[in-house]
Amino acid sequence: MGALLLGCIADDFTGATDLANNLVRAGMRVVQAMGVPGQPLDTDADAVVVALKSRTLPVDEAITQSLDALRWLQAQGAQQIYFKYCSTFDSTAQGNIGPVAEALMEALADLPGADFTIATPAFPDNQRTVFKGHLFVGDVLLNESGMQNHPLTPMTDANLVRVLQAQCRRKVGLIDYKVVAQGEAAIRARIDQLRAQGVGLAIVDAISNDDLLRLGPALKGMPLVTAGSGVAIGLPANFGIAPSNTASALPAATGLQAVVSGSCSLATNRQVAAFIEAGRPALAIDALQIAAGVDVARQALAWAEPLLGQGPVLIYSTADSIAVKSVQGQLGVEEAGALVERTLAAIARGLVTLGVRQLVVAGGETSGACVQALNITQMKIGLQIDPGVPWCHAQTDAAPDGGLHLTLKSGNFGADDFFSKAFAMLA
């Protein structure tokens, strides 16, 4: 096996595939591991993305899991570490982004340059840009984008320097767009200046892919990079890797098709509506029924079974923010989320048992629960469907006849016709 160039730690499962997707598009051979592997890497890969479900965990647990992932990646010889979080920079009120980043910095402290790292969720292909330290989603600030109503990780401040500083002991600074526009030498000079001022982490502006490509060379040799997935487009070239179609090759697709959606983001609400408006069969599940003891998973599978042979079906808990808050008010935020996740995960496994071999899962927490229910430990990353969302292929004991094509879609990603587009791509 060749040397592992990039070792990545992602704080949720959809974010992991988002990162892996960008690395594959830039030519890297990527394996995604679900949780920290128990064995050494046994296949050739340029990068490994360890997918954790740590975004909404208590801070101490998120740090512990991330350090476990770091130690495994170091044991595989990873030359650079990449801590990946969401392009909307969201985590718990206590802030898992800052504490995890600082814990990783401390664990890497013996390496030259590990006293400083960058932070930017910029992903222009998905309309996430950072300007003067403020995060925009499309044309609006983060806190006006719908993320202020997120049921688990509401974001009410678009000033990333302020958000990250509240989570960190180290001083947080800014590398602004004027510096980034001047390229590698200017970025490195700004890093030196910030380091001399006692800054340990710096938010980086980026309003286009060109900005990310200018940033990439300045990150060569930096022990730890923290970012959304966008920065990944500029890193493979640092290792002499160029884009290649062979990096995204997957087996031919077979079997039935289904969508399981737990995200309540505005984008996923539109995707669910588009699927229903196209006349495709869809079934909503109710958290209150689950809480009342109804076997909602069994009912959903009984509904789906006779329909699967006619094309893709959708089973969803997606709802608008008012409906979500109503359920949370009756059950509690954590209990409502956990009930729905467990039920959708059971449904996903049941669908695969019924012959589904092309499965779309929408929502980060839902994706994590479904992957765990399917006992998936690794995925091969394939072609991009929409920015940040690729098809993958995985082995699972629920599909012993050749595995499963799977896509894990972040709630905020994808065009309105994403569900139908995804299946058309595999046809």
Side-chain angles (χ1 to χ4, degrees):
M1 291 186 295
L4 182 62
L5 304 177
L6 195 60
C8 309
I9 304 165
D11 69 355
D12 83 340
F13 283 33
T14 56
T17 56
D18 170 15
L19 172 59
N21 172 66
N22 276 348
L23 294 173
V24 166
R25 290 172 61 219
M28 279 188 158
R29 299 164 302 161
V30 182
V31 171
Q32 180 171 325
M34 305 305 179
V36 181
Q39 302 293 329
L41 183 65
D42 62 356
T43 185
D44 271 328
D46 301 308
V48 173
V49 182
V50 177
L52 303 179
K53 204 166 177 284
S54 59
R55 181 173 303 164
T56 56
L57 286 179
V59 171
D60 289 348
E61 292 181 40
I63 289 172
T64 297
Q65 289 191 17
S66 300
L67 291 177
D68 287 345
L70 172 64
R71 284 188 285 269
W72 185 86
L73 290 166
Q74 288 177 309
Q76 313 314 305
Q79 297 179 27
Q80 186 174 46
I81 302 298
Y82 191 131
F83 170 41
K84 193 274 175 192
Y85 36 75
C86 188
S87 65
T88 47
F89 211 68
D90 57 308
S91 61
T92 65
Q94 292 73 29
N96 285 356
I97 293 174
V100 169
E102 290 194 299
L104 294 171
M105 291 174 76
E106 289 165 11
L108 295 166
D110 290 342
L111 298 177
D115 61 328
F116 183 92
T117 189
I118 60 103
T120 181
F123 189 5
D125 280 352
N126 255 327
Q127 301 187 66
R128 310 297 196 266
T129 54
V130 182
F131 179 69
K132 294 188 176 180
H134 290 71
L135 178 56
F136 286 79
V137 177
D139 295 327
V140 301
L141 288 164
L142 173 67
N143 55 299
E144 300 171 1
S145 68
M147 278 301 298
Q148 70 271 30
N149 297 316
H150 193 286
L152 296 177
T153 53
M155 296 300 292
T156 58
D157 190 355
N159 185 324
L160 301 188
V161 175
R162 188 162 56 216
V163 170
L164 188 58
Q165 186 64 79
Q167 302 177 11
C168 291
R169 300 185 307 277
R170 289 167 172 81
K171 188 176 178 181
V172 177
L174 174 67
I175 301 173
D176 75 9
Y177 70 101
K178 290 179 287 188
V179 172
V180 173
Q182 296 174 59
E184 178 184 358
I187 295 168
R188 288 186 179 274
R190 177 59 174 160
I191 288 172
D192 290 341
Q193 181 184 51
L194 289 170
R195 185 181 269 123
Q197 295 171 359
V199 171
L201 302 96
I203 299 296
V204 183
D205 281 356
I207 58 177
S208 68
N209 280 352
D210 288 341
D211 286 335
L212 295 176
L213 292 171
R214 281 188 282 266
L215 175 62
L219 303 179
K220 186 175 182 178
M222 185 176 285
L224 173 68
V225 172
T226 90
S229 68
V231 168
I233 69 172
L235 296 187
N238 290 343
F239 300 102
I241 292 175
S244 166
N245 290 334
T246 59
S248 61
L250 296 180
T254 60
L256 304 174
Q257 303 166 326
V259 181
V260 174
S261 177
S263 169
C264 295
S265 73
L266 295 177
T268 304
N269 270 283
R270 292 193 297 269
Q271 290 155 2
V272 168
F275 188 90
I276 294 170
E277 289 167 7
R280 299 305 313 166
L283 177 70
I285 66 170
D286 184 346
L288 296 179
Q289 281 194 317
I290 303 170
V294 176
D295 192 345
V296 170
R298 183 185 60 79
Q299 291 181 348
L301 292 169
W303 168 85
E305 187 170 10
L307 299 171
L308 284 167
Q310 304 167 33
V313 304
L314 165 65
I315 299 174
Y316 67 100
S317 66
T318 297
D320 63 29
S321 61
I322 295 173
V324 171
K325 287 179 179 177
S326 175
V327 172
Q328 289 177 336
Q330 297 177 66
L331 300 179
V333 174
E334 291 185 5
E335 180 63 16
L339 283 173
V340 170
E341 283 177 32
R342 287 196 297 268
T343 301
L344 289 175
I347 290 168
R349 184 172 179 90
L351 288 168
V352 175
T353 302
L354 290 173
V356 168
R357 297 294 181 269
Q358 301 173 42
L359 179 65
V360 174
V361 183
E365 299 300 313
T366 305
S367 292
C370 291
V371 163
Q372 290 170 346
L374 287 163
N375 295 322
I376 292 172
T377 59
Q378 289 188 5
M379 298 197 308
K380 176 75 167 59
I381 310 301
L383 289 172
Q384 175 176 283
I385 304 165
D386 271 339
V389 195
W391 273 112
C392 309
H393 189 266
Q395 298 299 322
T396 167
D397 59 348
D401 54 348
L404 171 70
H405 281 79
L406 177 70
T407 186
L408 307 178
K409 188 196 78 70
S410 172
N412 294 300
F413 285 4
D416 291 357
D417 64 347
F418 178 86
F419 297 152
S420 57
K421 181 193 299 185
F423 295 121
M425 179 178 262
L426 291 181

